């Protein structure tokens, strides 16, 4: 299970709003807003690796699960970057004449 799912589950289990959770993270040393929490939960962006260490500490996520999540996201980003580069190469090879 990834960090974003765990954030949502933690919030619901502890009856916290996104603003409450953002406040808890800010107290723990990670300045964020309820908008950040919303974007993370909806998968619009992912927290940085540094941010995930603080999040993991606050929600009680194991170090192992945290590292697996970070590696999975790195693998996904690597795959996405390769696909974008491949698509860009293909577009530059298109003969327009």
């Amino acid at each position: 299970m990834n960090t974003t799912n765990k954030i949502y589950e933690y919030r619901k289990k502890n009856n916290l709003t996104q603003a409450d959770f953002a406040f808890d993270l800010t107290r723990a040393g990670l300045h964020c807003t309820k908008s950040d929490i919303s974007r993370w939960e909806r998968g619009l962006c992912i927290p940085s690796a540094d941010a995930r260490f603080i999040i993991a500490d606050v929600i009680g996520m194991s170090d192992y699960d945290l590292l697996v999540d970070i590696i999975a996201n790195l693998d996904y980003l690597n795959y996405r970057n390769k696909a974008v580069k491949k698509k860009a190469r293909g577009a530059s090879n298109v003969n327009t004449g």
Side-chain angles (χ1 to χ4, degrees):
M1 178 175 298
N2 65 24
T3 306
T4 57
N5 292 339
K6 289 197 179 238
I7 290 170
Y8 179 79
E9 284 186 3
Y10 175 84
R11 276 195 328 98
K12 292 305 174 185
K13 179 180 166 188
N14 292 287
N15 207 23
L16 296 171
T17 65
Q18 290 174 337
D20 294 334
F21 187 61
F23 180 75
D24 289 348
L25 291 176
T26 299
R27 281 193 332 210
L30 174 64
H31 178 72
C32 63
T33 65
K34 66 180 182 177
S35 297
D36 295 325
I37 306 301
S38 174
R39 285 191 296 270
W40 295 340
E41 289 181 349
R42 291 182 292 147
L44 299 178
C45 64
I46 56 175
S48 69
D50 292 339
R52 285 185 219 191
F53 282 101
I54 295 172
I55 294 167
D57 189 45
V58 169
I59 67 176
M61 190 175 184
S62 74
D63 290 343
Y64 175 79
D65 286 342
L66 174 67
L67 291 174
V68 166
D69 185 50
I70 290 171
I71 290 168
N73 278 302
L74 289 175
D75 285 345
Y76 169 74
L77 292 173
N78 220 3
Y79 168 79
R80 194 175 96 201
N81 287 340
K82 286 179 183 177
V84 168
K85 287 178 184 176
K86 184 177 180 181
K87 187 175 182 180
R89 277 195 310 264
S92 67
N93 292 334
V94 173
N95 188 354
T96 59

